[in-house]
Amino acid sequence: MLPDLTSTLTLSPASSIEWAIAAWHDAKSKRSSSHETSSAYRDTLADFRALLRTINLDLNSDARAIALTAQAFAGSSKRSRDISASTYNQRLAILSSFYTFARKSGLLDLDNPISRIERRAAHAYQSAIPLTTVEVAQRLKAIDRSTLSGKRDYALLVIALHTGRRVTELASLHWTDLVFAADKVTVTFQRTKGGKTASDTLSAPASRALLDYLNAIHGAELVNLSAETPVWLSFSRQNKGKAIGGQTIADICHKHLGTSKVHTLRHTFAHSMERSGAPVSEIQARLGHESLATIGRLPGGP
C-alpha cells in the first residue's frame, strides 16, 4: 500500500526518492500485463541508482551529472559485450519514464535529465544476419547430446529455430505450457509481446528433442511435475534447478551457433518460411508483428 500523496510534502529528499520509485513501480505494474516488462523497469532503475551511488550521486542530483552517468550506463555491459542501439535506447526510455512520472506527479522537482541524451539510430533486426540452413545443421549436429546441458541446449535451439519466438518467450516456458499428443508437442507461449498468447505445434524431430531433454532431467517424475516447473533449467553450481534467463539463452546461442543475438534465430526462422513459399502475412503472424512493414525490412525480404 502506497502512502498518502500528501505525505510527500514533509518527506526528506532521500525518502521522496523512495516514494517516487514506489509510486512509479506501482503505476508501471498496473499498466503492463507482462512480468518481464515490470521486472525490466524495476531492475534497470535499481541498477542505475546503484551506479549513481558509487559516485556519491542519487536520482535527484545535478541533472548534468545524471545525464552523463545515464549515457555511460545505457552503453555499458557487465560481460564486456557490444550494446545494441535498441538496448541502449530501451534503458534510456525506462529512466526517462521514471523522471517524467516523478516530475508530472510532483514527487521530484527535477527536469528530466535523460532528455539531454541523444538516442542511437536503431533498425529492426539490426545486425541479426540469418544463419544458413547448412550452417545451422552442422552446428546443431556438433552439440554433445550425451550431457544434460547438451540435451537442453539442443532442444532449446531447435525450438527457437522452429518457432521464431523471442528470447523472453522462450525463457518463460513452464510445464503447464506443454501439451503432448501422439509424437508431437504443442507449446503455448503465455507472455508474448502485447500480453497475448500464442501456440506452436512442434515438428516430430523438435518434439523428440524436447522429450529427450525432459526425460533425461525428470525421469519417472515427469508425469508428476507441478504446473509452474520451468522447462529450461540451469545446471550451474549457483542456480542449479532454477529457470535460466535471457542472458543464459544468449550464451547458449553464442556457444553453439556463434552469435549471442537470439534475434538471429527469429531472422533465420523468417527466411526459412520465406524460402518455403509462406506468404508475408503468415510470416508476420508467426513472428507476432503488428505491421507488415517490419517484415519488409528483413534483408532480402519482400
Side-chain angles (χ1 to χ4, degrees), residues 66-109:
I66 290 177
L68 289 172
T69 307
Q71 182 172 309
F73 169 78
S76 65
S77 168
K78 295 179 180 179
R79 297 173 179 262
S80 300
R81 291 178 176 170
D82 292 336
I83 296 299
S84 68
S86 59
T87 297
Y88 179 89
N89 293 340
Q90 181 188 43
R91 290 174 177 174
L92 292 180
I94 290 173
L95 298 181
S96 181
S97 169
F98 167 74
Y99 282 107
T100 300
F101 174 86
R103 172 80 176 183
K104 185 176 180 180
S105 302
L107 302 173
L108 289 181
D109 185 19

Side-chain angles (χ1 to χ4, degrees), residues 7 10 17 28 30 32 49 53 67 78 80 97 141-142 160 169-170 187 206 210 240-241 260 274 279 294:
S7 67
T10 58
I17 293 176
K28 287 298 175 184
K30 289 177 179 176
S32 175
R49 191 183 188 194
R53 286 177 160 178
K78 295 179 180 179
S80 300
S97 169
K141 186 177 180 179
E169 297 165 5
L170 294 165
V187 183
L210 178 59
K240 189 173 182 179
S260 60
E274 183 184 31
T294 305

Side-chain angles (χ1 to χ4, degrees), residues 248-280:
T248 300
I249 294 178
D251 291 341
I252 290 171
C253 285
H254 185 266
K255 177 180 179 180
H256 299 296
L257 298 181
T259 176
S260 60
K261 299 180 183 297
V262 185
H263 222 76
T264 298
L265 276 60
R266 280 170 61 78
H267 235 217
T268 304
F269 168 80
H271 277 269
S272 177
M273 288 193 68
E274 183 184 31
R275 287 194 301 270
S276 68
V280 173

Side-chain angles (χ1 to χ4, degrees), residues 152 170-178 191 210 213-214 217-218 222 225-235 239-245:
R152 177 201 63 191
L170 294 165
S172 63
L173 285 176
H174 291 79
W175 178 246
T176 190
D177 300 322
L178 308 179
R191 298 168 179 171
L210 178 59
Y213 157 67
L214 292 173
I217 295 296
H218 301 291
L222 191 62
L225 295 180
S226 67
E228 293 307 308
T229 300
V231 170
W232 311 116
L233 299 180
S234 171
F235 301 114
N239 300 306
K240 189 173 182 179
K242 296 182 180 179
I244 63 174

Side-chain angles (χ1 to χ4, degrees), residues 35-263:
H35 174 72
E36 283 76 17
T37 299
S38 297
S39 295
Y41 272 71
R42 181 187 65 246
D43 295 344
T44 299
L45 186 63
D47 289 345
F48 178 59
R49 191 183 188 194
L51 175 61
L52 287 171
R53 286 177 160 178
T54 64
I55 52 176
N56 299 317
L57 298 175
D58 209 333
L59 294 170
N60 62 346
S61 296
D62 179 78
R64 291 169 297 180
I66 290 177
L68 289 172
T69 307
Q71 182 172 309
F73 169 78
S76 65
S77 168
K78 295 179 180 179
R79 297 173 179 262
S80 300
R81 291 178 176 170
D82 292 336
I83 296 299
S84 68
S86 59
T87 297
Y88 179 89
N89 293 340
Q90 181 188 43
R91 290 174 177 174
L92 292 180
I94 290 173
L95 298 181
S96 181
S97 169
F98 167 74
Y99 282 107
T100 300
F101 174 86
R103 172 80 176 183
K104 185 176 180 180
S105 302
L107 302 173
L108 289 181
D109 185 19
L110 181 70
D111 288 334
N112 185 355
I114 311 303
S115 63
R116 298 167 177 254
I117 307 172
E118 290 188 7
R119 302 309 195 258
R120 292 179 180 177
H123 305 283
Y125 302 96
Q126 184 178 25
S127 301
I129 306 301
L131 304 170
T132 66
T133 302
V134 173
E135 182 181 12
V136 168
Q138 290 175 340
R139 287 181 175 272
L140 289 178
K141 186 177 180 179
I143 297 176
D144 180 6
R145 295 167 63 189
S146 66
T147 66
L148 293 179
S149 60
K151 292 178 185 294
R152 177 201 63 191
D153 296 356
Y154 180 84
L156 191 155
L157 293 175
V158 166
I159 290 174
L161 288 161
H162 279 69
T163 64
R165 295 299 170 187
R166 297 176 175 86
V167 62
T168 54
E169 297 165 5
L170 294 165
S172 63
L173 285 176
H174 291 79
W175 178 246
T176 190
D177 300 322
L178 308 179
V179 175
F180 302 86
D183 63 342
K184 293 186 179 180
V185 181
T186 297
V187 183
T188 298
F189 297 89
Q190 304 287 355
R191 298 168 179 171
T192 64
K193 193 172 182 179
K196 301 176 182 178
T197 61
S199 296
D200 291 297
T201 297
L202 304 179
S203 65
S207 297
R208 285 196 297 272
L210 178 59
L211 281 169
D212 182 43
Y213 157 67
L214 292 173
N215 279 311
I217 295 296
H218 301 291
E221 292 300 314
L222 191 62
V223 295
N224 299 317
L225 295 180
S226 67
E228 293 307 308
T229 300
V231 170
W232 311 116
L233 299 180
S234 171
F235 301 114
S236 69
R237 200 177 314 173
Q238 306 94 318
N239 300 306
K240 189 173 182 179
K242 296 182 180 179
I244 63 174
Q247 184 57 62
T248 300
I249 294 178
D251 291 341
I252 290 171
C253 285
H254 185 266
K255 177 180 179 180
H256 299 296
L257 298 181
T259 176
S260 60
K261 299 180 183 297
V262 185
H263 222 76

